Amino acid sequence: MDIRHATNEDISAIALVESLCFPAAEAATISSITDRVNTYPKHFWLCFVDGVLVSFINGLCTNAKDLTDDMFESAAIHDENGEWQMIFSVSTHPSYTGKGYASATLKRAISDCRRDKRKGVVLTCKEALLPFYARFGFINEGVSKSEHGGARWYQMRLTF
Protein backbone atom coordinates (compact mmCIF):
# COMPACT_ATOMS: atom_id res chain seq x y z
CA MET A 1 0.00 0.00 0.00
CA ASP A 2 1.30 3.43 -1.00
CA ILE A 3 -0.42 6.66 0.09
CA ARG A 4 0.58 9.86 -1.70
CA HIS A 5 -0.81 13.16 -2.99
CA ALA A 6 -2.43 13.66 -6.39
CA THR A 7 -0.89 14.68 -9.69
CA ASN A 8 -2.54 15.45 -13.02
CA GLU A 9 -1.77 11.90 -14.13
CA ASP A 10 -4.16 10.63 -11.41
CA ILE A 11 -7.24 12.57 -12.53
CA SER A 12 -8.80 9.80 -14.66
CA ALA A 13 -8.34 7.19 -11.94
CA ILE A 14 -9.81 9.54 -9.32
CA ALA A 15 -12.81 10.25 -11.55
CA LEU A 16 -13.39 6.53 -12.09
CA VAL A 17 -13.39 5.70 -8.38
CA GLU A 18 -15.56 8.74 -7.62
CA SER A 19 -18.12 7.64 -10.22
CA LEU A 20 -18.23 4.12 -8.75
CA CYS A 21 -18.80 5.41 -5.21
CA PHE A 22 -21.40 8.13 -5.64
CA PRO A 23 -24.61 8.62 -7.65
CA ALA A 24 -24.21 11.05 -10.55
CA ALA A 25 -25.90 13.90 -8.62
CA GLU A 26 -23.30 13.60 -5.83
CA ALA A 27 -20.14 12.62 -7.73
CA ALA A 28 -17.61 15.26 -8.67
CA THR A 29 -17.24 15.74 -12.41
CA ILE A 30 -13.91 15.26 -14.14
CA SER A 31 -13.79 19.04 -14.63
CA SER A 32 -14.27 19.62 -10.90
CA ILE A 33 -11.68 16.96 -10.03
CA THR A 34 -9.22 18.58 -12.44
CA ASP A 35 -9.76 22.02 -10.87
CA ARG A 36 -9.29 20.56 -7.39
CA VAL A 37 -6.12 18.64 -8.26
CA ASN A 38 -4.67 21.73 -9.94
CA THR A 39 -5.59 23.95 -6.97
CA TYR A 40 -4.88 21.76 -3.95
CA PRO A 41 -3.03 18.54 -4.87
CA LYS A 42 -1.66 18.21 -1.31
CA HIS A 43 -5.24 17.84 -0.09
CA PHE A 44 -5.82 14.66 -2.06
CA TRP A 45 -4.62 11.51 -0.35
CA LEU A 46 -4.48 8.59 -2.78
CA CYS A 47 -4.05 4.98 -1.70
CA PHE A 48 -2.54 2.61 -4.27
CA VAL A 49 -2.14 -1.15 -4.12
CA ASP A 50 0.04 -2.71 -6.80
CA GLY A 51 -0.20 0.53 -8.79
CA VAL A 52 -4.03 0.63 -8.71
CA LEU A 53 -5.90 3.51 -7.07
CA VAL A 54 -8.07 1.76 -4.49
CA SER A 55 -9.10 4.61 -2.19
CA PHE A 56 -8.82 8.38 -1.94
CA ILE A 57 -9.78 11.39 0.18
CA ASN A 58 -9.99 15.00 -0.91
CA GLY A 59 -11.15 18.41 0.21
CA LEU A 60 -10.11 22.00 0.63
CA CYS A 61 -8.90 24.09 3.55
CA THR A 62 -10.77 27.12 4.82
CA ASN A 63 -11.29 29.32 7.85
CA ALA A 64 -15.02 28.62 7.64
CA LYS A 65 -16.12 26.32 10.44
CA ASP A 66 -18.81 24.40 8.52
CA LEU A 67 -18.82 22.57 5.21
CA THR A 68 -21.13 24.32 2.74
CA ASP A 69 -22.34 23.42 -0.73
CA ASP A 70 -20.45 26.25 -2.43
CA MET A 71 -17.19 24.56 -1.40
CA PHE A 72 -17.99 21.64 -3.72
CA GLU A 73 -18.50 24.06 -6.60
CA SER A 74 -15.37 26.21 -6.46
CA ALA A 75 -11.80 25.06 -5.83
CA ALA A 76 -10.91 28.76 -5.60
CA ILE A 77 -12.38 28.83 -2.07
CA HIS A 78 -9.33 26.83 -0.91
CA ASP A 79 -7.05 28.69 1.51
CA GLU A 80 -3.77 26.84 2.01
CA ASN A 81 -3.49 28.48 5.44
CA GLY A 82 -7.10 27.71 6.39
CA GLU A 83 -7.76 26.45 9.90
CA TRP A 84 -10.07 23.59 8.90
CA GLN A 85 -9.57 20.73 6.48
CA MET A 86 -12.87 19.98 4.79
CA ILE A 87 -13.28 16.48 3.37
CA PHE A 88 -15.55 16.12 0.35
CA SER A 89 -15.00 12.47 -0.39
CA VAL A 90 -13.71 9.31 1.22
CA SER A 91 -13.98 6.88 -1.67
CA THR A 92 -12.92 3.28 -2.07
CA HIS A 93 -13.22 1.27 -5.28
CA PRO A 94 -16.03 -1.26 -4.64
CA SER A 95 -13.68 -4.17 -5.40
CA TYR A 96 -11.43 -3.10 -2.50
CA THR A 97 -13.87 -2.23 0.30
CA GLY A 98 -13.58 -3.83 3.71
CA LYS A 99 -9.81 -4.20 3.54
CA GLY A 100 -8.84 -1.15 5.61
CA TYR A 101 -7.72 1.09 2.74
CA ALA A 102 -10.09 3.97 3.54
CA SER A 103 -9.11 3.75 7.21
CA ALA A 104 -5.39 3.88 6.42
CA THR A 105 -5.91 6.80 4.06
CA LEU A 106 -8.03 8.68 6.61
CA LYS A 107 -5.41 8.13 9.32
CA ARG A 108 -2.77 9.60 6.99
CA ALA A 109 -4.96 12.61 6.15
CA ILE A 110 -5.65 13.26 9.85
CA SER A 111 -1.95 12.93 10.66
CA ASP A 112 -1.02 15.41 7.92
CA CYS A 113 -3.66 17.88 9.14
CA ARG A 114 -2.31 17.67 12.70
CA ARG A 115 1.23 18.20 11.42
CA ASP A 116 0.06 21.22 9.43
CA LYS A 117 -1.47 22.72 12.60
CA ARG A 118 -5.09 22.75 11.40
CA LYS A 119 -7.79 23.17 14.04
CA GLY A 120 -9.29 19.92 12.79
CA VAL A 121 -11.16 18.11 10.06
CA VAL A 122 -14.79 18.47 9.00
CA LEU A 123 -16.76 16.13 6.74
CA THR A 124 -20.28 15.25 5.86
CA CYS A 125 -21.55 11.71 5.50
CA LYS A 126 -24.72 9.72 5.28
CA GLU A 127 -26.24 8.27 8.43
CA ALA A 128 -24.94 4.74 7.83
CA LEU A 129 -21.33 5.98 7.99
CA LEU A 130 -21.60 7.84 11.31
CA PRO A 131 -20.14 4.90 13.31
CA PHE A 132 -17.21 4.53 10.87
CA TYR A 133 -16.09 8.14 11.34
CA ALA A 134 -16.77 8.06 15.08
CA ARG A 135 -14.04 5.39 15.37
CA PHE A 136 -11.53 8.09 14.33
CA GLY A 137 -12.80 10.56 16.92
CA PHE A 138 -15.21 12.52 14.72
CA ILE A 139 -18.21 13.94 16.59
CA ASN A 140 -21.63 14.01 14.95
CA GLU A 141 -22.90 17.59 14.90
CA GLY A 142 -26.28 16.64 13.44
CA VAL A 143 -27.89 17.12 10.06
CA SER A 144 -25.74 19.33 7.85
CA LYS A 145 -26.94 22.43 6.06
CA SER A 146 -25.45 20.86 2.94
CA GLU A 147 -27.93 19.52 0.43
CA HIS A 148 -25.22 18.40 -2.01
CA GLY A 149 -26.70 16.12 -4.66
CA GLY A 150 -30.10 16.26 -2.97
CA ALA A 151 -28.99 13.91 -0.18
CA ARG A 152 -29.30 14.14 3.60
CA TRP A 153 -25.87 14.63 5.14
CA TYR A 154 -24.58 14.69 8.70
CA GLN A 155 -21.71 16.98 9.62
CA MET A 156 -18.90 15.41 11.63
CA ARG A 157 -15.95 17.20 13.19
CA LEU A 158 -12.61 16.06 14.55
CA THR A 159 -11.05 18.86 16.59
CA PHE A 160 -7.34 18.70 17.46
Side-chain angles (χ1 to χ4, degrees):
M1 177 172 43
D2 177 41
I3 299 174
R4 64 169 174 79
H5 297 295
T7 68
N8 282 327
E9 290 76 33
D10 300 313
I11 291 170
S12 294
I14 293 167
L16 172 64
V17 174
E18 177 88 0
S19 72
L20 294 171
C21 294
F22 292 99
E26 297 170 21
T29 64
I30 194 151
S31 174
S32 178
I33 292 167
T34 300
D35 287 346
R36 293 175 187 180
V37 168
N38 287 327
T39 304
Y40 47 86
K42 288 182 6 182
H43 302 277
F44 274 79
W45 292 268
L46 310 181
C47 179
F48 290 86
V49 173
D50 297 327
V52 175
L53 178 63
V54 299
S55 188
F56 75 90
I57 294 173
N58 83 99
L60 58 74
C61 292
T62 179
N63 287 323
K65 189 175 177 189
D66 296 320
L67 197 153
T68 56
D69 287 342
D70 61 326
M71 293 175 185
F72 291 101
E73 305 301 322
S74 175
I77 293 173
H78 174 71
D79 176 356
E80 187 59 36
N81 298 312
E83 298 175 332
W84 295 97
Q85 173 70 56
M86 301 293 160
I87 292 181
F88 297 156
S89 175
V90 176
S91 300
T92 301
H93 190 291
S95 298
Y96 294 89
T97 58
K99 296 177 172 39
Y101 299 125
S103 293
T105 308
L106 186 56
K107 286 177 186 174
R108 168 70 182 277
I110 291 168
S111 175
D112 287 358
C113 292
R114 281 185 195 278
R115 178 200 66 213
D116 293 344
K117 309 275 191 243
R118 307 272 179 229
K119 280 190 175 179
V121 180
V122 178
L123 59 81
T124 57
C125 68
K126 294 184 179 156
E127 188 172 13
L129 289 170
L130 292 170
F132 173 77
Y133 294 112
R135 291 191 315 219
F136 297 90
F138 284 86
I139 304 298
N140 179 4
E141 296 182 330
V143 175
S144 170
K145 293 177 185 171
S146 173
E147 297 177 344
H148 179 70
R152 183 176 195 174
W153 301 97
Y154 291 81
Q155 181 164 288
M156 299 196 78
R157 181 180 312 273
L158 174 62
T159 303
F160 303 142

